[in-house]
Amino acid sequence: MCEAPLVGKGLDLGRLPLSHDYHLFGDDDTCQFVPFDLVQCPKCALIQAREIIPGGFLVPKHSWIKFSEPETHIPSLASTIVQILGLDDLTKIGCLSSKDESLALALKARGVHNFWKIDPLKDIGFEGNASGVAWVKDCFDSSFARHLRSMHGGTDVFIARHFLEHVATPSVFFDAVRQLLNPGGFLVLEVPDCEQGIKRIDFSFIWEEHPLCFTMNTFQRMIYRFGYRIVFSKAYRFPNETCLVAVAQPYADLSEREAAGSATTREFEAFEEFVSGFPNRRKQVRMFLEKWRLHGEVALYGSGHHANTFLQVHNVVDLVNIVIDDNPAKIGKYMPGTSIPIKSSTNLLSDRVVLCLSTLGFEAEARVLEAARAFTETGGSFQSIFPKSKNEVFRWLAGPKSSV
Ligand SMILES: [Zn+2]
């Protein structure tokens, strides 16, 4: 954000398997690995990956790999946007990726109909999996914005949910959007929050696709730094994650930058505590799983990036027997870089599993917990890898709380 050198020591996790690089054989050694070293800028306090992985490397090889974001807050966010910005049927709205479709639908239901969205094939010539944003993250610059403007004209509102955390050079993104917007236009941003993870010493937010890890403070400071004033901002809190939303408008007077403020001592202390808490948390997680393994098998529920990070960062690949996922495309494959098989949920009952750890978002977690009642009612323990506080390793959901 501020271009200060990233000189400090961070949380160097070495090389992690690419989280969507599932493979067909347990002894496959072709898995791709990426470096992950999480550092904090000593000047602006932005938490970020020291090395940023190019989008071309992150595009999923398989068409069946999908990305999803929390959606519960979308109706409320749409109502707020219509109310604050006074949108009507003449308002032209641009959307960056498929992640913006749900908000577009909610705005349509509220009487706004004039939309356009970047077309991977027509606008970029991209033919691969465009479910995430790896295909567009490195090409969204001023010349691309001029191309979009020539196709769609000026835009009153541009929506980019869950994009900013992926980009290597945020100033380029903010400059590009300024070229897309009509005078008085607005940018709607949403990013995942990492502050809860930092406070709870919970490493599961770490993901190779997110080189930028925001707190509300760094998110807001970045928006002001790159020439926008915030007209609405809110943290939408869910049990396992928080989404930071801002609606912002370009300003011309550089003195408005002052409103950004600067990093506080507390922000640096929080990251230091997080990094120094790592060895102990890793030990606690291993010990917890070792105790359960004395009684039977351990399963993870969900095979997405949270599961991959959990296994690798805590060094517990040898303690997890199976990963449960009902996606037919994933069943029968193996977790990236491991020989842990992915199996359907029927295996929760038949495979002697005593502990099942959910790696799911809160919406899926509630559904799965209900469906897994037969497992917990016959003595299985269901817990979440996302703890509620820094004093617990996991969040208990159902069944026995401990192995003793
Ligand atoms: Zn900085």
Side-chain angles (χ1 to χ4, degrees):
M1 166 157 54
C2 71
E3 294 179 8
L6 298 171
V7 287
K9 197 172 166 290
L11 182 68
D12 188 355
L13 299 167
R15 295 176 78 78
L16 305 177
L18 197 58
S19 59
H20 52 63
D21 201 5
Y22 306 101
H23 49 108
L24 274 171
F25 307 99
D27 55 358
D28 191 328
D29 57 4
T30 60
C31 175
Q32 309 209 62
F33 287 77
V34 286
F36 209 100
D37 183 5
L38 195 68
V39 286
Q40 184 177 41
C41 172
K43 197 172 165 198
C44 71
L46 180 65
I47 296 166
Q48 55 203 286
R50 206 185 293 271
E51 197 174 324
I52 293 181
I53 316 298
F57 190 79
L58 296 174
V59 170
K61 278 181 285 192
H62 306 291
S63 60
W64 44 263
I65 289 171
K66 300 269 179 262
F67 299 90
S68 60
E69 306 294 352
E71 301 286 337
T72 312
H73 60 300
I74 293 300
S76 151
L77 175 59
S79 296
T80 304
I81 289 174
V82 170
Q83 197 186 358
I84 297 180
L85 307 187
L87 310 186
D88 56 35
D89 211 21
L90 294 174
T91 313
K92 193 190 282 181
I93 300 195
C95 296
L96 197 149
S97 74
S98 58
K99 296 182 179 188
D100 303 313
E101 282 162 6
S102 58
L103 183 54
L105 272 176
L107 289 169
K108 280 177 189 168
R110 286 157 182 79
V112 191
H113 293 98
N114 195 358
F115 284 88
W116 62 267
K117 184 166 82 91
I118 298 175
D119 186 308
L121 185 60
K122 279 192 207 150
D123 291 319
I124 304 181
F126 175 82
E127 291 181 316
N129 182 338
S131 165
V133 292
W135 57 279
V136 63
K137 84 177 182 92
D138 296 336
C139 69
F140 197 96
D141 58 13
S142 290
S143 75
F144 186 56
R146 282 194 293 276
H147 158 77
L148 293 174
R149 199 171 174 117
S150 72
M151 302 288 290
H152 307 287
T155 292
D156 300 307
V157 179
F158 187 69
I159 302 173
R161 291 185 64 226
H162 297 267
F163 181 70
L164 189 59
E165 66 274 23
H166 296 256
V167 306
T169 331
S171 60
V172 170
F173 166 75
F174 282 100
D175 286 348
V177 174
R178 197 179 288 107
Q179 299 198 28
L180 275 179
L181 292 179
N182 285 329
F186 297 93
L187 166 63
V188 178
L189 288 172
E190 181 172 316
V191 299
D193 167 67
C194 80
E195 197 163 359
Q196 280 187 46
I198 298 282
K199 279 187 184 159
R200 297 171 186 178
I201 323 271
D202 173 10
F203 301 92
S204 46
F205 71 83
I206 291 169
W207 185 25
E208 71 272 7
E209 298 236 6
H210 289 174
L212 306 184
C213 301
F214 290 100
T215 62
M216 187 54 115
N217 285 336
T218 51
F219 180 50
Q220 294 189 340
R221 280 206 295 274
M222 179 178 283
I223 293 169
Y224 275 99
R225 180 174 183 90
F226 295 128
Y228 290 70
R229 82 169 65 83
I230 295 171
V231 296
F232 168 77
S233 174
K234 184 171 175 174
Y236 290 90
R237 297 190 186 284
F238 307 111
N240 306 348
E241 55 204 312
T242 294
C243 294
L244 307 176
V245 171
V247 179
Q249 196 171 33
Y251 57 68
D253 185 351
L254 281 179
S255 67
E256 291 206 39
R257 245 184 163 181
E258 304 291 311
S262 47
T264 62
T265 313
R266 184 62 209 132
E267 291 179 67
F268 294 107
E269 286 170 355
F271 186 69
E272 258 178 58
E273 280 165 30
F274 173 73
V275 173
S276 62
F278 176 65
N280 190 40
R281 177 48 50 101
R282 185 147 85 159
K283 203 162 87 186
Q284 286 174 319
V285 168
R286 256 203 89 81
M287 278 169 58
F288 189 94
L289 296 197
E290 276 167 352
K291 280 185 189 158
W292 278 97
R293 279 295 299 270
L294 297 174
H295 304 275
E297 298 190 345
V298 171
L300 289 192
Y301 209 115
S303 61
H305 64 87
H306 288 127
N308 181 52
T309 300
F310 175 82
L311 288 168
Q312 301 293 336
V313 166
H314 299 101
N315 190 24
V316 291
V317 168
D318 59 318
L319 295 175
V320 173
N321 300 86
I322 54 167
V323 170
I324 303 288
D325 199 312
D326 281 329
N327 179 341
K330 291 184 179 177
I331 294 170
K333 295 191 175 60
Y334 292 82
M335 286 299 284
T338 77
S339 51
I340 304 174
I342 302 172
K343 297 185 176 184
S344 74
S345 57
T346 53
N347 291 274
L348 253 193
L349 282 176
S350 59
D351 265 358
R352 298 180 49 247
V353 177
V354 286
L355 172 67
C356 182
L357 293 171
S358 166
T359 69
L360 305 167
F362 73 100
E363 287 149 333
E365 182 187 275
R367 282 196 306 273
V368 159
L369 195 57
E370 180 60 32
R373 208 184 266 184
F375 167 69
T376 50
E377 281 177 355
T378 52
S381 177
F382 215 104
Q383 311 203 22
S384 164
I385 63 160
F386 305 101
K388 260 194 218 155
S389 76
K390 70 173 176 184
N391 300 321
E392 56 182 12
V393 181
F394 299 120
R395 179 164 46 93
W396 174 80
L397 297 169
K401 285 190 177 175
S402 81
S403 58
V404 223

